[in-house]
Amino acid sequence: MMKEIKIESDLQLICVRAKSFPQGIEESFKVLESTVPGRKGRECYGIYEENDSGITYRAGMLKEADNEDVIYGLENYTIKKGKYLGVTIYNWKDNIPKIGQTFDKMAEDQRVEKNSPSIEVYKGLKDVICMMKMKG
């Protein structure tokens, strides 16, 4: 079920870009987790974007300090504040194709901003919230 999610302020992430999609997704999260100590308790994100040069997928986590990108040699990414359309997928590891199917369905929704990145918000180890930015 789609619901509206409000992000009150920009979210600053540190990220590792996947070398390929979808094959490189798991590796990008492993690199991120091995690079950043004390990952426990930090919310993790996956960001999928399509552009002229193809598909970019980033594995990310919330920044705890402004200079973490410099310390760890990682990329910055900002999830802009605003309203997002969101769908929770429970036990996503048992149904990985459902993530892509959910984003495809959301992209057709008239409320979603054209070319919005597809954002995965990982809640613990079992659940993921799929989000796309809404217009306005």
Side-chain angles (χ1 to χ4, degrees), residues 39-85:
R39 184 198 91 60
K40 282 226 181 303
R42 282 208 216 192
E43 206 156 59
C44 285
Y45 295 80
I47 299 116
Y48 168 98
E49 292 181 290
E50 284 183 43
N51 50 41
D52 296 339
S53 56
I55 291 168
T56 303
Y57 184 92
R58 294 175 181 88
M61 64 176 64
L62 280 177
K63 263 184 162 183
E64 286 187 345
D66 284 346
N67 62 346
E68 279 190 314
D69 55 312
V70 177
I71 294 170
Y72 303 122
L74 298 173
E75 195 177 312
N76 280 315
Y77 188 86
T78 303
I79 296 175
K80 297 286 184 202
K81 69 180 178 182
K83 288 182 183 171
Y84 287 78
L85 205 55

